Amino acid sequence: MADIRSIIAIGQSGQLGLNGRLPWEGNQGREYKADVARFFDITRGHVLIAGPTTIGAVPDWAYRDRTIFEIRSHMDPEEVLAKFENRIVYVGGGPPVWDVYAPYIQHWDINRLPYDGEADRWFNPEWVVQTK
């Protein structure tokens, strides 16, 4: 069985997204830059599965040192995760992805950033207590 994890950043009120992007995207503050660097450091050598929007935001250089797999809504999560048996798999994306994969995630790494602005996607605390 794969070790299923998620590493995400949220704003002060649980903000996750705005218009299909991170609400703080492009912010050059120290905390934001450190969060991105930490994400790529932690996922290095492991598997990252995510929907097409998140995969589309992964820079080309990141494909060299991690396995990146695009998931779609028609895919069965158990079949997807079975492809990566005995690996650490990070589930990335947004609410539609976590609505499906949350019951499989064994470890949530949540970083709260100092962002306290607008959003149209929010973190759902119920994700962390769902189990399969």
Side-chain angles (χ1 to χ4, degrees):
M1 177 76 163
D3 179 354
I4 315 303
R5 304 176 184 193
S6 192
I7 179 171
I8 65 172
I10 62 174
Q12 291 298 300
S13 300
Q15 301 95 320
L16 280 174
L18 180 62
N19 301 320
R21 306 181 78 124
L22 296 172
W24 49 82
E25 195 163 318
N27 189 310
Q28 295 298 308
R30 180 182 52 83
E31 300 94 340
Y32 301 96
K33 290 169 104 174
D35 180 68
V36 172
R38 183 173 177 273
F39 173 84
F40 286 114
D41 184 50
I42 288 174
T43 61
R44 184 179 299 117
H46 302 300
V47 177
L48 171 62
I49 65 170
T53 301
T54 300
I55 295 297
V58 174
D60 290 342
W61 60 262
Y63 284 77
R64 290 191 301 268
D65 51 11
R66 65 192 47 73
T67 301
I68 297 176
F69 185 81
E70 184 176 306
I71 55 177
R72 298 298 197 139
S73 59
H74 69 275
M75 296 175 163
D76 178 84
E78 291 185 13
E79 289 178 15
V80 169
L81 296 171
K83 295 176 186 291
F84 306 107
E85 193 167 339
N86 300 318
R87 302 273 314 269
I88 295 174
V89 177
Y90 284 92
V91 179
V97 172
W98 291 314
D99 283 342
V100 173
Y101 283 85
Y104 302 94
I105 296 172
Q106 300 152 328
H107 176 82
W108 290 85
D109 184 325
I110 303 167
N111 186 23
R112 181 167 278 166
L113 294 171
Y115 179 82
D116 202 22
E118 192 178 359
D120 57 18
R121 302 276 179 142
W122 303 86
F123 179 76
N124 181 351
E126 292 180 15
W127 291 326
V128 299
V129 295
Q130 293 180 14
T131 58
K132 197 69 167 161

